[in-house]
Amino acid sequence: MTFRQLTRSRLGAWAIGAAVIGLASMLSGCGGQSYSCGDASGNHCYGTVTWSGNPAGFFMNMTAVPLTSGDIFIDDEGWLVDFISSTNYAWVEAGEENVNVAYYGGEGATYYFWAYGAAGQETMGYELGPVAQSDLDHANWIAYRVNQDATTPSTWHVNIWQEATGTMLYNESVDNPMTPQTLIEGQELAGTNGAQAPLAFFDDNSYLQSSKTVFQTTDGFVCKGPSPACPGAP
C-alpha cells in the first residue's frame, strides 16, 4: 500500500504547503494478491489526507485515471464530513469510482459519482456518467467543488467540471443539514481481490470560508490502511 506526497508547486499557488498529493493505488506491489478491505457496507481500506476546521465546502483538482473495481469497488474522491458523534455523522462526497456490476447496480467502468449521508439516515449514492476516455487517456485535470448554499445553509452544491476547458459536467444539490469539521481527500477500497488504480494527483486543495477559497497550507493527517485505522472516512 502506497500513499505519498510529491513536492511540486503549481501555478505559484500554495496547495498543501506548495505540495501536490500523489495517490498511488493502495494495491501497488500486491501483484494481484488478495486483500482484506471489508464488504459493500463497511470496514473498507483508505489512503487519505485529512484536515480539520470549519469549512463551508472544499475545492480540489484531481487527475482522471482508469479504475478497475475488483470484486466490490474502488474510488478516488473528496469528502466533507460532520462528525456528530463517534458513530453518527453526515457528509457529502464526490469523485470517480468503479463499482462491480454485482453491487449497487455498478457499471463496471470509471464513472463520476456523488453521495451523501444524513445523520441517522440511509446513505444515498449517484452514478453521474462515465469519465470521458480522452480525459482518462491523458490523465486530464477534473475540478470538484462542494459548497454550502449562500442563503440556505442546509443545502450543499456539488459541481464537477473539466479544468482545461471550464466545461461544467455536473451540477447537483442536496438538502443535508450539517456543520462539517473535516475535509478528506484520497482513495477508498472495498473487497478482497482484483482492484487496480494508477497514480492519481490531487492539486489546488482548498477549503471554502464564506465566499473565499483558501488553499490548504498544512500537510494534514496522512493515513493508509483499513478502517478504523484511518479515522474520518465514512
Side-chain angles (χ1 to χ4, degrees), residues 93 121 143 204 229:
E93 63 187 36
Q121 298 183 25
D204 288 349

Side-chain angles (χ1 to χ4, degrees), residues 97-227:
E97 68 177 0
N98 189 324
V99 180
N100 189 291
V101 294
Y103 290 90
Y104 312 120
E107 298 289 343
T110 305
Y111 262 59
Y112 293 107
F113 83 101
W114 76 286
Y116 72 93
Q121 298 183 25
E122 184 179 2
T123 298
M124 300 297 293
Y126 303 90
E127 289 184 338
L128 297 173
V131 180
Q133 190 60 50
S134 59
D135 287 329
L136 296 174
D137 289 343
H138 301 286
N140 289 338
W141 291 99
I142 305 298
Y144 297 82
R145 183 177 62 227
V146 175
N147 66 284
Q148 190 174 39
D149 187 84
T151 58
T152 309
S154 64
T155 297
W156 298 86
H157 302 289
V158 178
N159 295 278
I160 304 173
W161 68 93
Q162 293 173 321
E163 185 200 35
T165 65
T167 301
M168 184 64 67
L169 300 174
Y170 300 100
N171 186 344
E172 308 289 334
S173 297
V174 62
D175 183 67
N176 189 17
M178 64 178 188
T179 305
Q181 318 91 3
T182 306
L183 197 167
I184 309 170
E185 296 178 11
Q187 187 177 90
E188 181 176 1
L189 171 66
T192 63
N193 67 88
Q196 297 181 42
L199 178 68
F201 291 96
F202 294 69
D203 193 12
D204 288 349
N205 307 287
S206 314
Y207 63 93
L208 306 184
Q209 195 173 62
S210 299
S211 59
K212 298 187 298 183
T213 300
V214 184
F215 288 112
Q216 299 286 2
T217 57
T218 66
D219 289 339
F221 173 70
V222 179
C223 184
K224 60 179 181 180
S227 175

